[in-house]
Every structure is written in structure tokens, then in C-alpha cells.
Amino acid sequence: MDGKRISPIISEETYDFIKKNFHTVNQGTCSILDAIADLSKVPAVQEFDEPLKGIQFIIQGWDVFYRDGVKSLKGVFSEKELGLVHSVWTIRKMSPSPKDTSLLIDEIEDAIVYDGKDKPLKISGKKLLEKLRSLDEIKITFLYIWCHAARRHDNLGGYLSILA
């Protein structure tokens, strides 16, 4: 990794979090600092005199924003449709982030058209694509994040049924 070398002193709680969630403490610390730098580019953050204060507001507000966004998706998709979307976005791992939502939908379309992923599930790939295309970018982003959050749950079927 290119860049400046720093040696921050972090709390035990922060250290334990990083050690638990990243391959190495150094890699975790760098990833977190890079994520904060990405957050600093959000236009709302730039409205604050102190960027850190803007980042804190966004982080504190994200939980409510995300939770409400996920709730708005409840009942839009069947459990089998969610299973297909989940498998494509998490197993294929072609998209590292939800920055271009049209590419995320293209991944689903490729899985349906080229791989026939909808056939064994007995769902209409065409209807699934229509549903995905009817969502705005933020809802696609919520769905993408929600799918990736499933890795923390032992019962994938139970997790998928939350939104079905």
C-alpha cells in the first residue's frame, strides 16, 4: 500500500473490533481510515465547518435511514427472488461496492439470461428484473448492503424471509 505511515494510538475496544473484523490490525486501521476519507467526500459533510462533525452526523443518522430503507423493501420480492439476488451479489463477488446500481442489476440479468439462475427456482427472471429496475438507486444500495450483511446470520432462509 502506498501512502503515509502513521501510528495511531487506539482504545482497547477499537483494537478488539479491528482484530475481530480484519485480517490484520494494520489492514483494518488503513481500511477504516480510507472509509472515513471516503465519507469526507459526501456533499453533506462538506457543509460543516468541521468535517469530522459532518461524518459523525452521517454515521449517527445512517442507522435510521438504512433501517427505514430496508423496511420499505419488505414484500417487494419473494424469498426465492431474494435468494437469487443474494447469491449473485455475494457469491459471485463481482461488485466490490454499490457505486453503480445499474451494474448491480446487470449482474442479476446476466445470471438469469446466461446462467438460467431463475429456472431451478421456478421464478420469472423477467419480473424480478422489472422489480429491480423499478427501485431507485438508494433502494438498490440498501438491498445490496442487506444481502452482504447476511453473512453474519447462520440461517440464510430466515434472514431472507425478513424481507419477503
Side-chain angles (χ1 to χ4, degrees):
M1 174 183 210
D2 294 334
K4 303 283 185 193
R5 180 171 288 286
I6 63 170
S7 298
I9 296 174
I10 57 177
S11 70
E12 287 295 323
E13 181 181 6
T14 302
Y15 179 84
D16 291 343
F17 169 80
I18 293 171
K19 192 168 181 161
K20 177 182 173 189
N21 291 288
F22 295 92
H23 294 292
T24 68
V25 173
N26 183 58
Q27 183 257 333
T29 304
C30 291
S31 294
I32 290 168
L33 290 172
D34 286 344
I36 291 169
D38 284 345
L39 275 174
S40 72
K41 297 172 190 165
V42 172
V45 169
Q46 296 170 10
E47 297 296 320
F48 285 81
D49 290 335
E50 300 173 37
L52 181 59
K53 185 63 97 178
I55 291 169
Q56 289 170 328
F57 271 91
I58 287 173
I59 291 170
Q60 290 167 1
W62 173 252
D63 183 47
V64 173
F65 188 56
Y66 174 73
R67 193 174 44 231
D68 288 349
V70 169
K71 281 182 190 176
S72 74
L73 292 169
K74 184 161 180 61
V76 173
F77 302 98
S78 71
E79 193 170 328
K80 289 180 180 182
E81 289 170 332
L82 289 167
L84 187 150
V85 170
H86 173 270
S87 70
V88 171
W89 285 348
T90 59
I91 294 170
R92 289 172 96 173
K93 296 185 180 177
M94 293 176 70
S95 293
S97 68
K99 289 184 178 179
D100 188 343
T101 56
S102 64
L103 291 177
L104 296 176
I105 296 172
D106 289 347
E107 286 183 9
I108 303 297
E109 184 172 25
D110 288 350
I112 291 168
V113 172
Y114 299 118
D115 302 334
K117 295 286 186 185
D118 56 333
K119 302 297 182 240
L121 297 171
K122 295 181 174 51
I123 60 174
S124 169
K126 183 179 177 180
K127 286 183 181 176
L128 173 57
L129 290 169
E130 287 172 3
K131 289 178 184 181
L132 288 168
R133 289 187 178 116
S134 73
L135 300 175
D136 58 30
E137 286 187 9
I138 193 68
K139 287 186 180 177
I140 293 286
T141 303
F142 290 146
L143 183 60
Y144 185 79
I145 294 168
W146 183 83
C147 284
H148 281 273
R151 71 178 181 86
R152 296 247 185 211
H153 298 269
D154 294 331
N155 179 357
L156 181 60
Y159 185 74
L160 295 176
S161 69
I162 293 169
L163 275 191

